[in-house]
Amino acid sequence: MTEQLLQQFKQIFNTDQPIRTFFAPGRVNLIGEHTDYNGGHVFPCALTFGTYALVAPRNDQSIRLYSVNFPNVGIIELSTQDQLEFQKEHDWANYPIGVIKEFTDRGDQLKTGFDVLYYGNIPNGAGLSSSASIELVTAVALQSILETTFSSVDLVKMSQHAENEFIGVSCGIMDQFAIGMGKEDHAILLNCQTLDYQYSPIVLEDASLVIANTNKRRTLADSKYNERRSECERALSQLQKELSIQSLGDLTPEQFEQHRHLIENDVDQKRAKHAVYENARTILAVEKLQQGDIESFGQLMCDSHTSLRDDYEVTGFELDTLVEAALSQAGVIGSRMTGAGFGGCTVSIVKNDKIEEFIQEVGKRYNEKTGLTADFYVANVGDGAKEINMN
Ligand code: NG1
Ligand code: MG
């Protein structure tokens, strides 16, 4: 595959400059959903599939971007002198262009132009963060080409800023952090308020992580995402009348129960309840995992799904069907939706000797109930964004 990408690069850009290759993974969040923008904890890990970027410098001021995944869009051509702004016709390339702008906004002049070819093997729009993957692969590539010295966390923040300001998606920091900072065989417990983090080895003994894609397009995800953010913000501001807290992530479930009456609207109360309890669940789940208590970790994953279904209301028929089907199988230790919800993927912990049966049976039940076909991936936990050697 990599040799093929090199050939394609030479063919498309017609260059004999040295080509360097970078990779950024996708991510899956194991627990801690819709807590990042509420100042709580998340527990994601990087995957081994992701986005490749092959990069070569040019002798002139052109920047040329091409994605193997979007051949119809063709080569997007810019100049290092351009005022970079979001343009609809740039399509997917707005993600890298937003990151390029982060560098130029910090005074890092683009001394020469460059060519970049992208190839990604993350299912699009499935909640495994293909967008953050493109952002981070661009950030690490530019860092090398421009010889800048931003820290990895700086590159994470620049990528999130590009998504917030250039793309206009007001996401939290989880995706970019997991992808920029990931570590093979580890998940990251991240406090999204302080950005304190801790790597935790994923040791599942005789079990694996299995991702299932509903293949249901997440049409509601963007609008409902922003709605949930405002519901939580409203709840927070009402709690702040009596409590000096900065975010919902500052509250324990006990404190929340004592003060929840301050939240006027019942719906806002349920949303805030999810954020507070999910944060506590995440911290507890990581403790259990570190103690080798995978059963309790799995149970907390299931509790997370129930809370996302009943209190946060971001699951939907497809995700609920996949999780129910998963939990009816032997050898399943835990199962939940992952990402923003409304479609996208679930993640389950499944005993290795039951995986084949799991895929067959869950796939069958899902298809019978929804008419859709799910895709399954046994996930390996890989490293964060980095340069790779293609030889
Ligand atoms: P996905 O599912 O990757 O869109 C979204 C947010 C995260 C986080 C989760 C919910 C974006 C790009 N990312 O993830 O920051 O809030 O939902 O936990 O919107
Ligand atoms: Mg995205």
Side-chain angles (χ1 to χ4, degrees), residues 34 216-228 313-318 340-343:
H34 289 279
K216 147 104 176 155
R217 289 196 52 206
R218 304 191 310 161
T219 39
L220 281 173
D222 292 341
S223 58
K224 294 281 176 183
Y225 189 84
N226 290 333
E227 197 177 296
R228 294 294 175 276
E313 296 182 277
V314 292
T315 59
F317 183 62
E318 293 80 7
F342 304 103

Side-chain angles (χ1 to χ4, degrees), residues 20 226 251:
R20 292 166 68 181
N226 290 333
L251 288 178

Side-chain angles (χ1 to χ4, degrees), residues 56-77:
R58 291 176 58 82
N59 297 321
D60 60 18
Q61 300 300 313
S62 291
I63 299 173
R64 299 189 299 177
L65 310 170
Y66 180 83
S67 169
V68 176
N69 298 79
F70 302 95
N72 296 339
V73 179
I75 298 175
I76 302 289
E77 189 157 351

Side-chain angles (χ1 to χ4, degrees), residues 27 29 32-37 42 126-129 131 163 169-176 218 225 338-341:
R27 68 97 182 94
N29 189 24
E33 215 65 79
H34 289 279
T35 45
D36 62 350
Y37 56 83
V42 293
L128 302 177
S129 272
S131 52
E163 180 129 5
V169 176
S170 52
C171 60
I173 195 142
M174 165 167 72
D175 301 352
Q176 286 81 9
R218 304 191 310 161
Y225 189 84
T338 182

Side-chain angles (χ1 to χ4, degrees), residues 45-46 178 180-188 199-200 202 381-384:
C45 57
M181 305 296 289
K183 180 167 152 182
E184 192 175 2
D185 296 328
H186 289 70
I188 309 173
Y199 289 108
S200 185
I202 304 200
V381 178
D383 277 328

Side-chain angles (χ1 to χ4, degrees), residues 33-325:
E33 215 65 79
H34 289 279
T35 45
D36 62 350
Y37 56 83
N38 282 312
H41 290 75
V42 293
F43 192 53
C45 57
L47 299 167
T48 50
F49 44 70
T51 312
Y52 295 83
L54 281 65
V55 186
R58 291 176 58 82
N59 297 321
D60 60 18
Q61 300 300 313
S62 291
I63 299 173
R64 299 189 299 177
L65 310 170
Y66 180 83
S67 169
V68 176
N69 298 79
F70 302 95
N72 296 339
V73 179
I75 298 175
I76 302 289
E77 189 157 351
L78 313 158
S79 153
T80 58
Q81 314 299 314
D82 285 350
Q83 201 61 19
L84 299 176
E85 50 191 50
F86 184 95
Q87 285 184 33
K88 206 163 186 282
E89 61 273 21
H90 287 160
D91 202 80
W92 68 272
N94 281 304
Y95 290 92
I97 296 169
V99 174
I100 297 171
K101 187 172 185 315
E102 291 293 316
F103 281 78
T104 55
D105 282 355
R106 283 168 181 74
D108 290 295
Q109 294 309 317
L110 304 173
K111 288 165 224 119
T112 62
F114 49 88
D115 294 327
V116 194
L117 177 134
Y118 291 89
Y119 165 72
N121 54 15
I122 309 174
N124 258 332
L128 302 177
S129 272
S130 53
S131 52
S133 177
I134 298 182
E135 288 155 10
L136 261 306
V137 82
T138 304
V140 290
L142 282 178
Q143 165 109 308
S144 292
I145 295 171
L146 302 175
E147 298 177 335
T148 49
T149 54
F150 295 110
S151 70
S152 302
V153 174
D154 287 337
L155 296 179
V156 164
K157 288 184 186 165
M158 286 157 74
S159 297
Q160 185 204 14
H161 193 252
E163 180 129 5
N164 290 168
E165 300 301 322
F166 200 81
I167 304 296
V169 176
S170 52
C171 60
I173 195 142
M174 165 167 72
D175 301 352
Q176 286 81 9
F177 202 96
I179 288 169
M181 305 296 289
K183 180 167 152 182
E184 192 175 2
D185 296 328
H186 289 70
I188 309 173
L189 177 64
L190 170 68
N191 178 329
C192 297
Q193 201 174 143
T194 61
L195 296 193
D196 287 340
Y197 65 98
Q198 173 194 331
Y199 289 108
S200 185
I202 304 200
V203 183
L204 301 175
E205 286 159 21
D206 53 351
S208 301
L209 297 171
V210 181
I211 295 170
N213 187 352
T214 57
N215 282 316
K216 147 104 176 155
R217 289 196 52 206
R218 304 191 310 161
T219 39
L220 281 173
D222 292 341
S223 58
K224 294 281 176 183
Y225 189 84
N226 290 333
E227 197 177 296
R228 294 294 175 276
R229 284 193 75 135
S230 3
E231 288 160 349
C232 288
E233 276 161 25
R234 205 158 47 216
L236 174 65
S237 68
Q238 288 164 4
L239 290 167
Q240 281 169 331
K241 287 180 189 148
E242 279 186 23
L243 293 167
S244 59
I245 50 169
Q246 267 178 30
S247 71
L248 294 175
D250 289 335
L251 288 178
T252 63
E254 295 72 28
Q255 290 166 323
F256 174 77
E257 293 304 336
Q258 273 167 27
H259 295 95
R260 64 186 291 170
H261 63 271
L262 294 170
I263 306 169
E264 286 158 22
N265 179 309
D266 288 350
V267 171
D268 294 352
Q269 241 186 66
K270 287 206 294 186
R271 308 301 189 233
K273 178 184 169 208
H274 166 78
V276 170
Y277 279 75
E278 180 76 355
N279 183 43
R281 235 183 330 263
T282 303
I283 296 166
L284 180 63
V286 176
E287 271 172 38
K288 296 293 180 190
L289 186 66
Q290 288 174 349
Q291 291 159 7
D293 183 355
I294 299 157
E295 296 292 329
S296 297
F297 184 83
Q299 183 55 50
L300 290 161
M301 285 174 74
C302 298
D303 296 348
S304 165
H305 185 85
T306 305
S307 173
L308 288 156
R309 184 190 65 200
D310 299 343
D311 286 333
Y312 220 64
E313 296 182 277
V314 292
T315 59
F317 183 62
E318 293 80 7
L319 286 166
D320 291 338
T321 301
L322 265 186
V323 167
E324 267 169 46

